[in-house]
Amino acid sequence: MYLLKLLAELATTDTTPLEQSAPRRAALESLGRFSAKTLAAALPLGLAALPTQAGTTTILDSLTLALQLERLQEAFYARALAAPAGFFPADATIRASIVTMQRHQQQHITLLTDAITNSGGTAPARPNYDFTGSRNGTQPAFFASVFSNFDDFLRLAQLLEDAGVRAYKGQVEALISNDFILQTALQMHSTEARHAARIRIIRQKRAAVVKPWPSPADASITVAGKTDIVYSGENALEQSVPGYRPVPFRLLPIGSGANILTQGVPEAFDELLNTAQASTLLGLFTY
Amino acid sequence: MHTPSSPARMLARRSFFRVAGAGAAASALVLAGCGKDDPEPTVAGTPTLTLGSFVTTTSSDPNITVLNYAYLLEQIEAAFYDKVVATPPADLQPGELAYLTDLRDHELIHREYLKYALGTSAYDNSLSAPLVFNFSTFTLTTRTGVWTAARQLEEIGVAAYNGAAKYLTSAEHLNALGKIVSVEARHAALAREVLQPGSFADNVGTTGLDDAKTPAQIVALIQPFVPVVISTANLPTT
């Protein structure tokens, strides 16, 4: 089954030359399974010259990116939970929810770190975080009140959770050759989606114009040139099926609601963030 | 393991669908991806919906089978919300009908997306009439009953996608299912929150992982809603 998957991948990938450092290759092999790239590397020379997986994201790269995002979120909640009394509102379920989310992120960090180290890889050093966006005071802050104004905190929480969902989604393709890691990543991914929905529901109850899922009807909370990357492309009006054929929603029996094509369709699909976009977002809050 | 030529497989599948369609009224309904080259539909007795083999390499495309599985689940969800929105319970709170309408729309869109993606491979193309799903196990006359049912169906959806995505070999299909499953998880969290604030992730285990269920586990959960017996004979177990 794995072999068939890999052959299918090889058949559909471009001709990017194989480029992979030896340590990384060794780490991947010790995952006990293999990616298209390691298979290509293991094949005789003639076959190794065949097309390899598009792009250069390996399973190890994907796990590392996920680890960095989970650490960012965990640190964010840790600081909020350490804020002076009165920062959280009186409704005790709100603080309890943030505690739950932080616990999930700690659990994800453990899972991801184990997967990386057990495979012979090395988890990157933990960076410093500045959630005001000032990069430790070296530039103007765009979330200056994030730990003093609870609604500001919720806005950044929503951004980070929605971005986390999108970032996991952007990595699943790189994990397709490893059933175990793919399923685990998807299980973390839908946990993140629950977090995002909860944050959005808390905001909605505090009179923000927002739904539990990203919607064109949401009031924008992004900062142009900074956090707008989080929702870049999220309100796509079109979807495609393999072969990049667009789905003609207006011709399908999906109902006749006034906003079905302009609101329902974008809401029904969460979009992905690619590796570069997710890394850019990480860079806004790390130094 | 014999491997019929491509045209031979096409022919086998095409004729198979015709047989299934002709027999639908009296007997067999078969979900695409049949694992046998010469399927023999049951002609009498209880109608049966056979989920095909996910991993058979000779005559079945696992992508088609997984998409048909997802399509069946989305059909159930869409039918449920359609029914609720048509006759909502009287005690809904402000904003809840709008949410249920959104959920209905999302599931209709998911259903039709998958049907379009499947094209001629959609399992119900040859049925003489659409399946009519049975929600009599739910209490749909109260808001609590409706949201409890929604929670159950959404949790089934999330666990089903999380558990079956690994059988896909097409990255494009995997990406598409990834786009859908997080919306289902948001639905599940909403249903939980309506019933009890703070319970958005009560099903998430001690390692921080949301549910993933095997197709066989999911079939056991959805059987009460489906008017024909779902056969798990060809489902993967690993």
Side-chain angles (χ1 to χ4, degrees), chain A residues 171-190:
Chain A
Q171 297 303 314
V172 293
E173 186 174 337
L175 308 178
I176 194 169
S177 63
N178 188 309
D179 284 2
F180 178 78
I181 288 178
L182 173 62
Q183 179 169 316
T184 304
L186 283 168
Q187 289 175 275
M188 293 193 280
H189 165 250
S190 62

Side-chain angles (χ1 to χ4, degrees), chain A residues 131-179:
Chain A
F131 294 101
T132 70
S134 80
R135 299 181 71 90
N136 199 29
T138 60
Q139 63 184 35
F142 55 87
F143 266 109
S145 308
V146 69
F147 295 123
S148 55
N149 178 315
F150 196 72
D151 288 305
D152 283 351
F153 162 75
L154 289 175
R155 275 191 282 275
L156 184 51
Q158 180 188 313
L159 286 164
L160 294 180
E161 293 290 357
D162 280 336
V165 175
R166 297 191 65 182
Y168 269 106
K169 211 184 308 294
Q171 297 303 314
V172 293
E173 186 174 337
L175 308 178
I176 194 169
S177 63
N178 188 309
D179 284 2

